Amino acid sequence: MRFAAVCSSGLGSSFMVEMNIQSVLNDLGVQGVEVTHFDMGSATPDAADAFFVGADLADSAQHLGNVIILDSIIDMDELKEKVQAECEKQGLM
């Protein structure tokens, strides 16, 4: 299973969200998920099973397939809720 964080440049915010997703997965005790980050131009539908993007990129990311929109990329409660929901959907929990 692969999760990816995507931002416009692939540098700061997507890397931060990647680290936060890893932290949430550890807190939830979920294993076997590879987490990475991309810029919008490099992300392809086959690069991950789920893509986490900020609301500002929601329209630009729809071509990726399974896109989870984050209203706030710094809200850990929202991220935990959405990562947990995706893990449950994928049968990881």
Side-chain angles (χ1 to χ4, degrees):
M1 181 66 49
R2 295 173 297 166
F3 288 175
V6 181
C7 71
S8 58
S9 65
L11 298 171
S13 58
S14 62
F15 183 58
M16 178 193 70
V17 173
E18 174 191 346
M19 291 188 306
N20 288 341
I21 290 171
Q22 290 173 335
S23 176
V24 168
L25 291 169
N26 286 337
D27 290 348
L28 295 172
V30 175
Q31 298 180 355
V33 178
E34 177 185 332
V35 185
T36 190
H37 67 280
F38 295 99
D39 64 274
M40 187 57 71
S42 299
T44 59
D46 62 343
D49 300 295
F51 296 88
F52 292 80
V53 302
D56 60 321
L57 296 177
D59 291 339
S60 303
Q62 292 310 308
H63 71 283
L64 296 173
N66 186 17
V67 176
I68 294 97
I69 306 301
L70 301 173
D71 296 321
S72 170
I73 63 169
I74 60 171
D75 183 342
M76 286 298 289
D77 292 330
E78 177 192 9
L79 184 64
K80 183 175 183 177
E81 176 184 312
K82 292 185 175 179
V83 168
Q84 183 171 348
E86 186 62 26
C87 287
E88 289 171 356
K89 176 180 154 188
Q90 297 293 339
L92 300 171
M93 299 182 64

